Amino acid sequence: MSRRPVNPARRLADGGSIPFVGSAHSKSRSSPLLSVILLAVGAVLLIGYLYSGSGKTAIEKEALSKVEGKVEGVVSCTLEVQRALPVLKKAYGDSMLKVLHVGPETCSVVSKLLKEEDTEAWGVEPYDLDDADANCRSLVRKGIVRVADIKFPLPYRAKSFSLVIVSDAVDYLSPKYLNRTLPELARVSVDGVVIFAGYPGQHRAKVSELSKFGRPAKLRSSTWWIRYFLQNSLEENEVAAKKFDQASVKRSYKPACQVFHLKSYH
């Protein structure tokens, strides 16, 4: 016969694990009052034990949820793009009328942009869409979102979009592939490229994501990025950067990711 593990709760119900209950029964004939007292004390201790245990679990869960929430919020610069859309509209004005977003979860950004008045939007998803929802699959069928490896030339003509926004994508590229990708992003834009990149120490790719991203995120400092842009003749869009900063102050918006504004190639 197979043996099932004994249920600890059942042991408690049988009285074998609570010495106060056993003692009360053995002395109930000689001293009813003592039995009542012992039962009361045992009940109080049991309730206190269960309460403290559940309280500890709740605290642990709350702490865990806070940590997870912090990590979730920091990891996704794509979510940060969605938060920044009102600020980007103030900074770029009419340049937000025809936008290409490049990065994971691009369907969510494109869907939000398409809800804006007089805005056309497209997206490039650098990774597989195995778990895409119905809305995302619909965008792919319509050709609005494409799955493409951004380490190679983008499937668009030069100056196809007024603005290109990139998030959670360049952090996973080595300098070798950045040398190919960033010029491509500048090539297909008219008014510039906006890059949302993670801060050093913020996050790393989870083990489960390595098969998707191919490598852990390489989070670089702003100094590294600025030096890289200069070395590769990618100029800062100072006018747009200034407008973005001003709009951020007015809206009390503080980006959780690094934001870089680059000019397109002319």
Side-chain angles (χ1 to χ4, degrees), residues 12 21 26 31 78 106 156 159 165 177 189 199 216-217 234 236:
L12 291 176
V21 175
S26 63
S31 179
T78 295
T106 188
Y156 302 106
K159 303 186 185 304
I165 303 174
Y177 291 114
S189 67
Y199 283 102
L234 292 165
E236 180 188 11

Side-chain angles (χ1 to χ4, degrees), residues 41-233:
V41 172
V44 170
L45 292 175
L46 177 60
I47 292 172
Y49 171 79
L50 294 175
Y51 179 79
S52 63
S54 62
K56 182 179 180 181
T57 302
I59 293 172
E60 290 174 347
K61 287 182 178 179
E62 183 180 359
L64 180 60
S65 65
K66 286 182 179 180
V67 171
E68 290 177 343
K70 184 177 180 182
V71 172
E72 290 286 342
V74 175
V75 165
S76 180
C77 286
T78 295
L79 288 179
E80 192 62 29
V81 169
Q82 297 181 55
R83 287 185 60 231
L85 286 180
V87 180
L88 288 168
K89 289 186 70 175
K90 284 290 185 182
Y92 285 90
D94 292 341
S95 296
M96 290 288 290
L97 298 181
K98 195 173 184 180
V99 180
L100 174 68
H101 174 262
V102 179
E105 310 298 334
T106 188
C107 289
S108 60
V109 177
V110 171
S111 297
K112 190 159 187 175
L113 283 167
L114 290 174
K115 293 177 182 178
E116 299 289 332
E117 187 177 357
D118 299 327
T119 299
E120 296 179 90
W122 289 263
V124 172
E125 170 61 59
Y127 311 105
D128 292 334
L129 288 171
D130 297 333
D131 55 349
D133 57 22
N135 176 62
C136 190
R137 290 195 297 269
S138 175
L139 292 173
V140 173
R141 283 195 303 269
K142 294 175 182 178
I144 296 174
V145 169
R146 296 188 182 188
V147 178
D149 191 337
I150 60 174
K151 295 191 293 292
F152 300 96
L154 295 174
Y156 302 106
R157 295 179 180 178
K159 303 186 185 304
S160 294
F161 309 97
S162 53
L163 188 68
V164 174
I165 303 174
V166 191
S167 62
D168 285 329
V170 295
D171 289 331
Y172 291 92
L173 296 178
S174 65
K176 172 184 174 181
Y177 291 114
L178 283 173
N179 293 340
R180 302 178 186 179
T181 301
L182 289 181
E184 271 295 289
L185 299 173
R187 179 186 67 83
V188 301
S189 67
V190 175
D191 297 326
V193 179
V194 185
I195 297 175
F196 284 73
Y199 283 102
Q202 275 190 332
H203 65 84
R204 294 291 185 272
K206 299 175 183 177
V207 174
S208 60
E209 294 176 340
L210 291 180
S211 60
K212 179 177 180 180
F213 296 124
R215 55 175 287 158
K218 181 68 173 179
L219 302 177
R220 294 123 171 160
S221 67
S222 59
T223 303
W224 189 96
W225 279 113
I226 292 170
R227 183 171 62 250
Y228 177 84
F229 296 146
L230 292 173
Q231 290 173 349
N232 290 273
S233 301

Side-chain angles (χ1 to χ4, degrees), residues 25-39:
H25 283 297
S26 63
K27 298 182 180 180
S28 59
R29 295 178 182 177
S30 59
S31 179
L33 180 60
L34 179 60
S35 300
V36 173
I37 294 174
L38 291 174
L39 283 171

